[in-house]
Amino acid sequence: MNPTSQLKIPVAVLISGTGSNLQALIDFQAQSSYQIQLVISNRPNVAGLNKAKQAKIPIETIDHTLFADRTQFDQEMIRIIDQHNIKIIVLAGFMRILTTEFTQHYLGSMLNIHPSLLPKYPGLNTHQKALEAKDKEHGLSIHFVTAELDGGPVIQQAKLAISPSDTVESLKDAIQVLEHATYPGIVDLLAQGRLSLQQNIAYLDQEILSSPLLFEPKAICTN
Ligand code: GRF
């Protein structure tokens, strides 16, 4: 497929901070079937908003502290997202729990990236948890977003071995490298219509994804 800009699927990326995954998505979009047409942050003045501005992508700050409750905040997000005729929502470090109304509205069209090998360690502090459990491996999961926090069907995972010298910081850095290598490709698969969610099961090319795709980094030849 040779994606021309007219055929590209409009995507919104939701962030709360640095936006390194947003940058990876921006960098990949020229060779993809998606076009990021909106970036939303629930926090004002975060670095990710500058990355969007530099790429000339429309931004919206929807400060959650100005809303009475989650429902009103999510309703405002729906209003803005739907105004932009968005077809795919990509959560990229968006640090808000979403209401069922929101997850239902975009069911099958919304992805998240989570820094653990789900179903292990949903929620926060995943690197700390993996170290405390003395896990031998750790990684990331890209999944469809459903009402269950970090609980939707997993599409892809990438793994790394934990070494005795690893720290929360070293794991975070290593996993982010893998995040940037994986997330844009999965967003592209969804934009191409090759991924779907039916009755809480993920499908790739109309076949049940019975286990997550495993990302294999290309072997690095050192000699
Ligand atoms: C990522 O590491 C992702 O796993 C988690 O939030 C982090 C966001 O980082 N969901 P960034 O803002 O994309 O740099």
Side-chain angles (χ1 to χ4, degrees):
M1 176 173 187
N2 178 19
T4 68
S5 117
Q6 277 145 326
L7 298 174
K8 289 196 176 203
I9 303 298
V11 165
V13 181
L14 275 50
I15 62 167
S16 300
T18 315
S20 68
N21 280 284
L22 167 65
Q23 187 64 57
L25 289 158
I26 291 169
D27 293 344
F28 191 76
Q29 74 177 349
Q31 63 195 94
S32 79
S33 298
Y34 65 80
Q35 184 77 33
I36 305 170
Q37 292 192 357
L38 177 64
V39 170
I40 295 179
S41 173
N42 66 307
R43 294 204 184 113
N45 306 319
V46 293
L49 287 172
N50 287 332
K51 294 181 169 83
K53 274 187 210 159
Q54 269 170 17
K56 301 195 171 15
I57 298 166
I59 60 172
E60 291 276 355
T61 301
I62 309 176
D63 184 345
H64 66 277
T65 64
L66 305 178
F67 292 81
D69 55 27
R70 274 186 209 286
T71 300
Q72 288 185 28
F73 171 71
D74 281 9
Q75 283 171 349
E76 177 63 2
M77 286 210 298
I78 290 173
R79 192 182 70 75
I80 303 266
I81 290 167
D82 291 353
Q83 243 176 21
H84 283 77
N85 208 21
I86 296 296
K87 298 288 182 250
I88 292 176
I89 317 287
V90 178
L91 305 182
F94 186 67
M95 303 301 286
R96 296 291 301 162
I97 292 173
L98 297 163
T99 57
T100 304
E101 180 186 350
F102 192 90
T103 57
Q104 277 298 121
H105 192 79
Y106 299 112
L107 196 64
S109 310
M110 180 157 54
L111 300 176
N112 183 40
I113 190 160
H114 182 76
S116 80
L117 296 172
L118 291 169
K120 269 192 164 179
Y121 315 135
L124 299 173
N125 304 320
T126 59
H127 311 309
Q128 186 68 40
K129 287 172 186 164
L131 287 171
E132 280 169 7
K134 301 198 185 325
D135 287 351
K136 294 206 163 32
E137 62 175 14
H138 188 36
L140 67 86
S141 305
I142 299 168
H143 63 94
F144 278 111
V145 177
T146 62
E148 192 190 338
L149 178 69
D150 300 325
V154 177
I155 299 160
Q156 186 174 47
Q157 292 187 317
K159 298 182 182 180
L160 53 77
I162 298 183
S163 76
S165 60
D166 268 320
T167 61
V168 166
E169 275 306 306
S170 70
L171 290 178
K172 176 172 173 269
D173 291 348
I175 285 180
Q176 281 219 319
V177 170
L178 291 173
E179 290 181 349
H180 305 157
T182 52
Y183 210 10
I186 297 300
V187 174
D188 193 27
L189 276 184
L190 185 60
Q192 288 174 30
R194 295 181 56 194
L195 279 173
S196 62
L197 179 69
Q198 296 165 44
Q199 272 96 43
N200 212 38
I201 294 170
Y203 287 74
L204 174 63
D205 295 334
Q206 322 296 342
E207 304 262 342
I208 288 182
L209 208 48
S210 47
S211 55
L213 304 168
L214 191 58
F215 176 72
E216 314 264 7
K218 288 197 180 75
I220 298 166
C221 185
T222 52
N223 53 13

